Amino acid sequence: MFINNFDPVAFELASLEIRWYSLAYILGILFGWILAKKLFIQNIEVLKKFDDYLTYLIIGIILGGRLGYIFIYNLSYYLNNPLDIFKIWLGGMSFHGGLIGVIIATVIFAKKNNQNFFLYLDIVALVAPIGLFFGRIANFINSELYGKITNLPWAVTFVKVDNFSRHPSQLYEALLEGLLLFLLLIYFKKKFLYKPGVISALFLILYSTFRFFVEFYRVPDEQLGYIFINLTMGQVVSLIFLISGVILFYLKYETR
Protein backbone atom coordinates (compact mmCIF):
# COMPACT_ATOMS: atom_id res chain seq x y z
CA MET A 1 0.00 0.00 0.00
CA PHE A 2 1.30 3.44 -0.97
CA ILE A 3 0.94 6.51 1.27
CA ASN A 4 0.22 9.67 -0.69
CA ASN A 5 1.20 12.82 1.15
CA PHE A 6 2.59 14.89 -1.71
CA ASP A 7 2.76 18.67 -1.55
CA PRO A 8 0.61 20.19 -4.36
CA VAL A 9 3.21 22.96 -4.67
CA ALA A 10 6.11 21.87 -6.87
CA PHE A 11 8.36 24.79 -5.91
CA GLU A 12 8.32 28.48 -5.04
CA LEU A 13 9.71 31.21 -7.25
CA ALA A 14 10.25 34.28 -5.10
CA SER A 15 6.83 34.54 -3.41
CA LEU A 16 5.01 32.75 -6.24
CA GLU A 17 3.89 29.15 -5.73
CA ILE A 18 4.28 26.92 -8.79
CA ARG A 19 1.85 24.03 -8.46
CA TRP A 20 2.01 20.61 -10.08
CA TYR A 21 -1.42 21.28 -11.59
CA SER A 22 -0.10 24.33 -13.46
CA LEU A 23 3.01 22.45 -14.56
CA ALA A 24 0.84 19.66 -15.95
CA TYR A 25 -0.89 22.13 -18.28
CA ILE A 26 2.39 23.73 -19.31
CA LEU A 27 4.09 20.38 -20.01
CA GLY A 28 1.07 18.98 -21.83
CA ILE A 29 0.81 21.97 -24.16
CA LEU A 30 4.59 22.20 -24.69
CA PHE A 31 5.14 18.52 -25.52
CA GLY A 32 1.96 18.40 -27.57
CA TRP A 33 3.05 21.41 -29.62
CA ILE A 34 6.53 19.95 -30.24
CA LEU A 35 5.25 16.50 -31.23
CA ALA A 36 2.56 17.94 -33.45
CA LYS A 37 5.05 20.02 -35.42
CA LYS A 38 7.78 17.39 -35.58
CA LEU A 39 5.74 14.25 -36.25
CA PHE A 40 2.06 14.66 -36.95
CA ILE A 41 1.37 17.68 -39.16
CA GLN A 42 1.50 16.62 -42.80
CA ASN A 43 -0.44 19.50 -44.33
CA ILE A 44 1.98 22.32 -45.15
CA GLU A 45 -0.69 25.01 -44.76
CA VAL A 46 -1.59 23.74 -41.29
CA LEU A 47 2.10 23.67 -40.35
CA LYS A 48 2.50 27.32 -41.39
CA LYS A 49 -0.45 28.39 -39.24
CA PHE A 50 0.04 26.10 -36.26
CA ASP A 51 2.01 28.54 -34.10
CA ASP A 52 -0.75 31.14 -34.51
CA TYR A 53 -3.35 28.48 -33.79
CA LEU A 54 -1.65 27.62 -30.48
CA THR A 55 -2.86 30.88 -28.93
CA TYR A 56 -6.47 30.06 -29.83
CA LEU A 57 -5.96 26.54 -28.49
CA ILE A 58 -4.68 27.69 -25.10
CA ILE A 59 -7.54 30.17 -24.69
CA GLY A 60 -10.03 27.46 -25.63
CA ILE A 61 -8.56 25.00 -23.13
CA ILE A 62 -8.52 27.45 -20.21
CA LEU A 63 -11.84 29.19 -20.79
CA GLY A 64 -13.66 26.03 -21.81
CA GLY A 65 -12.18 23.95 -19.01
CA ARG A 66 -13.03 26.50 -16.35
CA LEU A 67 -16.52 27.34 -17.59
CA GLY A 68 -17.24 23.65 -18.13
CA TYR A 69 -16.38 22.88 -14.51
CA ILE A 70 -18.46 25.79 -13.24
CA PHE A 71 -21.60 25.03 -15.23
CA ILE A 72 -21.43 21.22 -15.26
CA TYR A 73 -20.06 20.39 -11.82
CA ASN A 74 -20.34 23.25 -9.33
CA LEU A 75 -22.59 26.08 -10.48
CA SER A 76 -24.23 26.76 -7.11
CA TYR A 77 -20.88 27.22 -5.37
CA TYR A 78 -19.58 29.74 -7.90
CA LEU A 79 -22.85 31.66 -7.91
CA ASN A 80 -22.27 32.20 -4.18
CA ASN A 81 -18.50 32.74 -4.54
CA PRO A 82 -18.04 34.54 -7.90
CA LEU A 83 -14.49 35.72 -7.16
CA ASP A 84 -13.35 32.09 -6.88
CA ILE A 85 -14.08 31.68 -10.59
CA PHE A 86 -10.72 33.29 -11.31
CA LYS A 87 -8.69 31.07 -8.93
CA ILE A 88 -7.76 28.54 -11.60
CA TRP A 89 -4.49 27.68 -9.82
CA LEU A 90 -6.54 25.95 -7.11
CA GLY A 91 -7.95 23.47 -9.65
CA GLY A 92 -11.47 23.05 -10.91
CA MET A 93 -11.19 22.36 -14.63
CA SER A 94 -13.43 20.12 -16.72
CA PHE A 95 -11.92 18.10 -19.56
CA HIS A 96 -15.23 18.02 -21.43
CA GLY A 97 -15.55 21.79 -21.04
CA GLY A 98 -11.99 22.23 -22.29
CA LEU A 99 -12.79 20.02 -25.26
CA ILE A 100 -15.77 22.16 -26.19
CA GLY A 101 -13.59 25.25 -25.81
CA VAL A 102 -10.96 23.76 -28.12
CA ILE A 103 -13.58 22.88 -30.74
CA ILE A 104 -15.03 26.40 -30.72
CA ALA A 105 -11.59 28.03 -30.85
CA THR A 106 -10.53 25.72 -33.68
CA VAL A 107 -13.64 26.41 -35.75
CA ILE A 108 -13.11 30.16 -35.36
CA PHE A 109 -9.43 29.93 -36.33
CA ALA A 110 -9.97 27.59 -39.27
CA LYS A 111 -12.81 29.64 -40.73
CA LYS A 112 -10.72 32.77 -40.37
CA ASN A 113 -8.06 31.09 -42.52
CA ASN A 114 -10.49 29.29 -44.88
CA GLN A 115 -9.34 25.83 -43.76
CA ASN A 116 -11.00 22.59 -42.71
CA PHE A 117 -11.11 22.71 -38.91
CA PHE A 118 -10.81 18.91 -38.68
CA LEU A 119 -7.25 19.23 -40.01
CA TYR A 120 -6.43 20.93 -36.70
CA LEU A 121 -8.72 18.91 -34.44
CA ASP A 122 -7.22 15.63 -35.66
CA ILE A 123 -3.75 16.86 -34.71
CA VAL A 124 -5.00 18.01 -31.31
CA ALA A 125 -6.65 14.62 -30.79
CA LEU A 126 -3.32 12.88 -31.40
CA VAL A 127 -1.44 14.91 -28.79
CA ALA A 128 -4.22 15.53 -26.25
CA PRO A 129 -3.47 12.26 -24.38
CA ILE A 130 -0.10 13.74 -23.41
CA GLY A 131 -1.83 16.55 -21.54
CA LEU A 132 -4.34 14.10 -20.08
CA PHE A 133 -1.49 11.96 -18.75
CA PHE A 134 0.23 14.87 -17.01
CA GLY A 135 -3.09 16.20 -15.76
CA ARG A 136 -4.06 12.92 -14.09
CA ILE A 137 -0.62 12.63 -12.50
CA ALA A 138 -1.16 16.12 -11.07
CA ASN A 139 -4.59 15.01 -9.77
CA PHE A 140 -2.85 12.11 -8.03
CA ILE A 141 -0.25 14.39 -6.45
CA ASN A 142 -3.01 16.77 -5.32
CA SER A 143 -5.01 13.90 -3.74
CA GLU A 144 -8.08 14.86 -5.80
CA LEU A 145 -10.47 12.81 -7.93
CA TYR A 146 -9.48 9.83 -5.80
CA GLY A 147 -10.98 6.35 -5.97
CA LYS A 148 -13.29 4.26 -3.85
CA ILE A 149 -12.16 2.24 -0.84
CA THR A 150 -10.43 -1.04 -1.71
CA ASN A 151 -8.11 -3.67 -0.24
CA LEU A 152 -6.22 -4.31 -3.45
CA PRO A 153 -2.42 -4.50 -3.05
CA TRP A 154 -1.85 -1.38 -5.15
CA ALA A 155 -4.30 0.69 -3.08
CA VAL A 156 -3.25 4.17 -2.02
CA THR A 157 -3.96 6.04 1.20
CA PHE A 158 -4.46 9.74 0.53
CA VAL A 159 -3.44 11.25 3.86
CA LYS A 160 -5.02 14.60 3.00
CA VAL A 161 -8.37 12.84 2.50
CA ASP A 162 -8.64 10.12 5.19
CA ASN A 163 -6.95 6.95 6.39
CA PHE A 164 -8.71 4.52 4.04
CA SER A 165 -6.98 2.60 1.25
CA ARG A 166 -8.41 3.64 -2.10
CA HIS A 167 -8.21 2.95 -5.80
CA PRO A 168 -5.64 5.28 -7.40
CA SER A 169 -8.24 6.16 -10.03
CA GLN A 170 -6.12 9.09 -11.22
CA LEU A 171 -3.39 6.63 -12.26
CA TYR A 172 -5.95 4.39 -13.96
CA GLU A 173 -6.98 7.39 -16.03
CA ALA A 174 -3.37 8.40 -16.70
CA LEU A 175 -2.68 4.95 -18.12
CA LEU A 176 -5.92 4.57 -20.08
CA GLU A 177 -6.75 8.13 -21.19
CA GLY A 178 -3.10 9.07 -21.48
CA LEU A 179 -0.72 6.29 -22.47
CA LEU A 180 -3.07 3.70 -24.02
CA LEU A 181 -5.18 6.28 -25.83
CA PHE A 182 -2.03 7.87 -27.28
CA LEU A 183 -0.75 4.52 -28.57
CA LEU A 184 -4.11 3.56 -30.09
CA LEU A 185 -4.48 6.88 -31.88
CA ILE A 186 -0.94 6.61 -33.26
CA TYR A 187 -1.89 3.21 -34.65
CA PHE A 188 -5.09 4.52 -36.23
CA LYS A 189 -3.32 7.61 -37.57
CA LYS A 190 -1.65 5.55 -40.29
CA LYS A 191 -5.04 4.43 -41.56
CA PHE A 192 -7.30 7.42 -41.15
CA LEU A 193 -5.36 10.70 -41.07
CA TYR A 194 -6.12 11.17 -44.76
CA LYS A 195 -9.83 11.35 -43.80
CA PRO A 196 -10.21 14.54 -41.74
CA GLY A 197 -12.47 14.02 -38.75
CA VAL A 198 -12.00 10.28 -38.27
CA ILE A 199 -9.15 10.63 -35.76
CA SER A 200 -11.22 13.18 -33.84
CA ALA A 201 -14.14 10.76 -33.79
CA LEU A 202 -11.94 7.91 -32.55
CA PHE A 203 -10.60 10.16 -29.82
CA LEU A 204 -14.13 10.91 -28.60
CA ILE A 205 -15.09 7.24 -28.68
CA LEU A 206 -12.00 5.89 -26.95
CA TYR A 207 -11.63 8.64 -24.36
CA SER A 208 -15.31 8.47 -23.43
CA THR A 209 -15.16 4.68 -23.10
CA PHE A 210 -12.10 4.79 -20.83
CA ARG A 211 -13.52 7.64 -18.73
CA PHE A 212 -16.89 5.90 -18.34
CA PHE A 213 -15.17 2.72 -17.16
CA VAL A 214 -12.83 4.36 -14.63
CA GLU A 215 -15.65 6.39 -13.09
CA PHE A 216 -16.94 3.14 -11.56
CA TYR A 217 -13.81 3.12 -9.36
CA ARG A 218 -13.79 6.83 -8.62
CA VAL A 219 -15.64 8.62 -5.82
CA PRO A 220 -18.34 10.81 -7.42
CA ASP A 221 -18.15 14.57 -7.04
CA GLU A 222 -19.22 15.38 -3.49
CA GLN A 223 -21.51 18.22 -4.50
CA LEU A 224 -23.31 16.09 -7.12
CA GLY A 225 -23.14 12.44 -6.11
CA TYR A 226 -24.82 10.05 -8.54
CA ILE A 227 -27.07 11.60 -11.17
CA PHE A 228 -29.29 8.61 -11.98
CA ILE A 229 -29.07 4.79 -12.04
CA ASN A 230 -25.77 5.08 -10.16
CA LEU A 231 -24.08 7.04 -12.94
CA THR A 232 -21.89 10.06 -12.18
CA MET A 233 -21.98 13.35 -14.04
CA GLY A 234 -18.69 12.38 -15.67
CA GLN A 235 -20.28 9.20 -17.02
CA VAL A 236 -23.38 11.00 -18.28
CA VAL A 237 -21.31 13.59 -20.13
CA SER A 238 -18.99 10.86 -21.44
CA LEU A 239 -22.00 9.01 -22.88
CA ILE A 240 -23.03 12.16 -24.74
CA PHE A 241 -19.55 12.56 -26.20
CA LEU A 242 -19.36 8.84 -27.00
CA ILE A 243 -22.55 9.04 -29.04
CA SER A 244 -21.24 12.19 -30.74
CA GLY A 245 -18.02 10.36 -31.59
CA VAL A 246 -19.87 7.39 -33.09
CA ILE A 247 -22.02 9.69 -35.26
CA LEU A 248 -18.95 11.68 -36.36
CA PHE A 249 -17.04 8.49 -37.18
CA TYR A 250 -19.90 7.23 -39.34
CA LEU A 251 -20.17 10.54 -41.19
CA LYS A 252 -16.44 11.00 -41.76
CA TYR A 253 -15.47 7.37 -42.39
CA GLU A 254 -18.07 7.16 -45.15
CA THR A 255 -16.68 10.29 -46.79
CA ARG A 256 -14.89 9.43 -50.04
Side-chain angles (χ1 to χ4, degrees):
M1 183 181 66
F2 183 81
I3 306 297
N4 183 329
N5 195 25
F6 291 115
D7 187 342
V9 178
F11 58 89
E12 293 187 12
L13 190 62
S15 59
L16 180 65
E17 291 184 342
I18 307 299
R19 294 174 173 261
W20 291 108
Y21 197 75
S22 301
L23 287 178
Y25 272 83
I26 294 171
L27 290 174
I29 292 171
L30 179 61
F31 283 124
W33 173 63
I34 293 173
L35 280 180
K37 295 193 68 174
K38 296 293 184 181
L39 299 177
F40 299 142
I41 301 178
Q42 299 176 354
N43 185 301
I44 188 65
E45 294 303 318
V46 172
L47 183 61
K48 289 179 181 178
K49 296 288 185 179
F50 201 75
D51 287 347
D52 296 332
Y53 168 62
L54 186 63
T55 301
Y56 285 72
L57 186 65
I58 293 173
I59 293 174
I61 291 172
I62 295 175
L63 283 182
R66 189 58 168 173
L67 292 175
Y69 180 78
I70 291 169
F71 285 103
I72 297 174
Y73 291 99
N74 218 350
L75 180 59
S76 60
Y77 172 81
Y78 288 103
L79 286 176
N80 294 319
N81 302 274
L83 292 180
D84 285 356
I85 292 174
F86 304 100
K87 298 178 181 179
I88 298 178
W89 59 90
L90 296 180
M93 299 286 281
S94 162
F95 170 79
H96 292 107
L99 178 56
I100 294 173
V102 166
I103 293 172
I104 293 174
T106 303
V107 170
I108 293 173
F109 181 83
K111 287 190 175 298
K112 177 182 177 182
N113 292 280
N114 296 314
Q115 294 174 300
N116 183 345
F117 57 85
F118 278 116
L119 293 175
Y120 290 94
L121 288 178
D122 285 350
I123 299 301
V124 172
L126 287 169
V127 299
I130 299 171
L132 284 166
F133 178 83
F134 285 123
R136 295 312 182 192
I137 296 299
N139 292 148
F140 179 77
I141 292 173
N142 290 347
S143 295
E144 58 193 6
L145 308 183
Y146 46 83
K148 297 177 180 178
I149 296 172
T150 181
N151 291 320
L152 289 170
W154 57 82
V156 174
T157 298
F158 297 93
V159 175
K160 295 182 176 63
V161 179
D162 53 33
N163 293 319
F164 294 109
S165 301
R166 298 179 175 276
H167 283 283
S169 55
Q170 313 95 326
L171 300 185
Y172 298 167
E173 292 192 71
L175 292 175
L176 291 175
E177 302 165 9
L179 181 59
L180 182 57
L181 180 57
F182 180 71
L183 294 176
L184 287 173
L185 290 176
I186 295 301
Y187 170 77
F188 287 122
K189 164 186 171 291
K190 301 174 183 177
K191 296 184 176 183
F192 298 124
L193 197 57
Y194 69 95
K195 287 189 173 184
V198 174
I199 295 296
S200 296
L202 288 170
F203 174 86
L204 290 176
I205 294 169
L206 292 169
Y207 170 82
S208 299
T209 300
F210 293 148
R211 174 70 180 271
F212 186 89
F213 171 75
V214 174
E215 288 272 339
F216 284 115
Y217 298 94
R218 188 169 124 180
V219 174
D221 298 276
E222 182 179 354
Q223 71 276 12
L224 294 176
Y226 293 101
I227 304 303
F228 68 95
I229 58 172
N230 289 328
L231 295 181
T232 66
M233 178 62 82
Q235 287 175 310
V236 172
V237 179
S238 292
L239 281 175
I240 295 172
F241 277 80
L242 174 60
I243 294 171
S244 301
V246 171
I247 294 172
L248 179 61
F249 181 83
Y250 174 78
L251 293 174
K252 293 302 179 179
Y253 183 73
E254 292 298 320
T255 301
R256 302 298 179 185

